[in-house]
């Protein structure tokens, strides 16, 4: 059952469920967690009329994220090469999120509110990942992902800390990696779920706590854990057997961005224990935005767009997946990345930057 800490984030009242998902043990477990929820049969977890098109009804976004849960079966199981956050991207056990960060550009094929979909065929997913790990064999050359282990991102399209409230999928994957000496799991999170402290991951799961200056986060990071709570959690998760990295992302240019980041980095330096600092690393990602999301945000959170949409500083870029985005101008961005590296070196010298772009 859900804890009091979760109730404001999730109050599931409708479960849109594929029949095949309801037939699986994991699907039945999820339904049992929310016994008062209405079960709404759907033919496909991607095709839900009540959820699709809600970009025209943006005032209901948070309600949909809070009250709606989708239960499906993941049809395509593919592990893809990555090379940035991880060596590989594992098949998702969920997609969507109960949080509502204004800059989030996770694919919104379910509708722009993007409530969580949990996949019930977890046994197929874990078997696929186990076969992939076995096929790789030991890692023979270190890289920026990890010096010794193959790293698999298990939360590309969701936040695993929240997913762990909805089902045992995340724990099942972490248990798989716990017993895999050549590989480790990894996921980024903006929500502190202290139930994970009891999992005993034995160093085989890397949690990447996403951080940004507090004043910026108050505008853009909607329904997430406060920065101070995320920072304070690092020591506890390291003590519990996790590898804990940081994710400085997205870096958003504001008139005071340098001073704000310097203050945040000093707070991290003052808070982290020697053990946490000894294993610390981070990635840095400057903001990417896009025109469709900008237009939608104007309908529900225009204040955020004052920070995110800066045509005077941004240029169009076609991403690797073919999407047309905007980013900070190339000539300026290189200088920004270098300045950010200098801030980290000055205020959080224990932190190794795995990559920055």
């Amino acid at each position: 059952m859900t804890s009091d800490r979760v109730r404001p984030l999730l109050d599931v009242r409708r479960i849109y469920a594929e029949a095949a998902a309801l037939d699986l043990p994991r699907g039945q477990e999820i339904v049992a967690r929310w016994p008062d929820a209405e079960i709404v049969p759907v033919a496909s977890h991607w095709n839900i009329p009540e959820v699709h098109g809600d970009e025209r009804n943006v005032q209901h976004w948070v309600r949909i994220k809070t009250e709606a849960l989708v239960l499906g079966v993941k049809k395509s199981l593919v592990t893809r090469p990555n090379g940035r956050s991880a060596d590989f991207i594992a098949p998702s056990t969920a997609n969507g999120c109960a949080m509502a960060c204004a800059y989030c550009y996770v694919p919104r094929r379910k509708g722009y509110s993007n409530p969580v979909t949990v996949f019930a065929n977890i046994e197929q997913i874990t078997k696929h990942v186990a076969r992939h790990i076995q096929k790789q064999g030991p890692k023979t050359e270190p890289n920026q992902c990890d010096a010794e282990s193959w790293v698999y991102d298990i939360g590309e399209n969701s936040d695993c800390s929240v997913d762990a409230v909805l089902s045992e999928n995340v724990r099942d994957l972490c248990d798989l990696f716990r017993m895999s000496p050549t590989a480790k799991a990894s996921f980024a999170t903006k929500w502190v779920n202290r139930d994970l402290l009891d999992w005993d991951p034995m160093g085989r799961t890397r949690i990447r706590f996403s951080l940004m200056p507090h004043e910026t986060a108050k505008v853009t990071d909607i329904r997430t854990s406060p920065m101070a709570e995320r920072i304070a959690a690092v020591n506890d998760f390291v003590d519990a057997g996790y590898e804990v990295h940081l994710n400085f992302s997205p870096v958003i240019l504001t008139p005071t961005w340098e001073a704000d980041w310097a203050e945040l980095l000093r707070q991290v330096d003052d808070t982290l224990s020697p053990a946490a600092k000894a294993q610390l690393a981070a990635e840095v990602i400057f903001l990417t935005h896009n025109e469709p999301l900008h237009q939608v945000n104007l309908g529900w959170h225009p204040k955020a767009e004052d920070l995110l949409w800066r045509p005077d500083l941004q240029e169009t870029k076609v991403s690797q997946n073919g999407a047309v985005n905007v980013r900070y101008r190339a000539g300026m961005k290189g200088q920004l990345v270098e300045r950010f590296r200098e801030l980290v070196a000055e205020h959080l010298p224990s932190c190794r930057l795995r990559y920055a772009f």
Side-chain angles (χ1 to χ4, degrees), residues 61-349:
W61 279 24
V62 171
R63 178 180 58 79
I64 292 171
K65 283 178 171 291
T66 303
E67 298 180 359
L69 177 64
V70 183
L71 187 57
V73 171
K74 190 169 184 64
K75 309 298 192 299
S76 177
L77 301 182
V78 178
T79 294
R80 311 190 325 268
N82 181 249
R84 281 183 171 169
S85 294
D87 293 294
F88 302 103
I89 306 295
S92 300
T93 60
N95 68 47
C97 188
M99 295 176 281
C101 297
Y103 46 77
C104 181
Y105 54 90
V106 170
R108 291 167 171 81
R109 292 167 60 187
K110 298 193 301 292
Y112 274 75
S113 71
N114 208 29
V116 180
T117 295
V118 181
F119 297 120
N121 54 325
I122 183 62
E123 290 189 4
Q124 288 182 316
I125 295 172
T126 53
K127 288 179 181 177
H128 166 91
V129 174
R131 287 194 298 268
H132 194 277
I133 294 171
Q134 184 177 25
K135 183 178 179 181
Q136 296 308 306
K139 192 175 198 176
T140 57
E141 296 185 9
N143 61 15
Q144 67 86 15
C145 298
D146 195 81
E148 299 177 352
S149 301
W150 298 110
V151 181
Y152 288 73
D153 194 315
I154 63 171
E156 181 188 33
N157 294 318
S158 64
D159 190 303
C160 289
S161 295
V162 177
D163 297 343
V165 175
L166 295 165
S167 80
E168 295 296 315
N169 281 359
V170 178
R171 182 160 192 174
D172 286 348
L173 268 180
C174 289
D175 283 348
L176 167 66
F177 283 93
R178 182 175 181 267
M179 305 305 294
S180 301
T182 62
K184 63 177 63 171
S186 178
F187 63 88
T189 184
K190 298 173 186 176
W191 197 72
V192 178
N193 182 349
R194 290 187 168 271
D195 291 342
L196 275 60
L197 294 172
D198 299 328
W199 287 9
D200 189 21
M202 298 177 61
R204 309 312 300 172
T205 293
R206 172 188 294 168
I207 293 181
R208 298 160 9 241
F209 280 106
S210 296
L211 301 180
M212 69 165 58
H214 172 69
E215 291 301 318
T216 304
K218 285 199 302 184
V219 178
T220 62
D221 276 31
I222 311 302
R223 312 183 85 218
T224 64
S225 294
M227 289 300 138
E229 185 178 350
R230 301 185 208 178
I231 296 169
V234 172
N235 293 339
D236 293 336
F237 276 82
V238 170
D239 291 344
Y242 289 91
E243 181 180 43
V244 182
H245 286 186
L246 301 176
N247 184 2
F248 300 134
S249 168
V251 179
I252 300 169
L253 295 191
T254 69
T256 59
W257 76 274
E258 289 190 48
D260 294 344
W261 274 102
E263 180 181 357
L264 177 74
L265 293 167
R266 287 193 295 268
Q267 181 182 357
V268 175
D269 190 52
D270 291 341
T271 303
L272 263 54
S273 66
K277 290 180 179 179
Q279 53 87 72
L280 189 63
E283 54 204 54
V284 181
I285 306 172
F286 276 73
L287 173 70
T288 300
H289 200 26
N290 63 65
E291 170 75 26
L293 180 57
H294 166 63
Q295 293 298 331
V296 171
N297 282 351
L298 290 176
W300 79 283
H301 193 21
K303 185 178 180 181
E305 288 306 296
D306 293 340
L307 300 180
L308 303 179
W309 191 254
R310 294 291 306 277
D312 57 320
L313 302 176
Q314 293 165 329
E315 65 182 6
T316 300
K317 177 183 182 295
V318 178
S319 67
Q320 292 178 342
N321 63 10
V324 179
N325 297 317
V326 296
R327 66 173 184 184
Y328 297 121
R329 293 174 183 168
M332 176 180 66
K333 187 176 177 183
Q335 299 175 7
L336 295 172
V337 170
E338 183 58 32
R339 179 56 185 146
F340 197 95
R341 288 183 178 274
E342 293 172 353
L343 290 171
V344 174
E346 180 179 357
H347 300 291
L348 187 59

Side-chain angles (χ1 to χ4, degrees), residues 6-76:
V6 181
R7 292 189 192 281
L9 193 64
L10 293 165
D11 181 16
V12 176
R13 301 184 182 186
R14 293 177 308 285
I15 299 177
Y16 299 93
E18 295 177 348
L22 289 174
D23 288 338
L24 292 170
R26 183 52 41 88
Q28 295 166 13
E29 291 172 14
I30 293 169
V31 169
R33 290 191 181 206
W34 309 95
D36 297 327
E38 175 189 5
I39 308 300
V40 182
V42 295
S44 168
H45 63 85
W46 287 124
N47 186 15
I48 305 171
E50 292 179 44
V51 175
H52 270 287
D54 62 271
E55 65 270 24
R56 296 190 299 269
N57 216 3
V58 292
Q59 66 268 28
H60 296 316
W61 279 24
V62 171
R63 178 180 58 79
I64 292 171
K65 283 178 171 291
T66 303
E67 298 180 359
L69 177 64
V70 183
L71 187 57
V73 171
K74 190 169 184 64
K75 309 298 192 299
S76 177

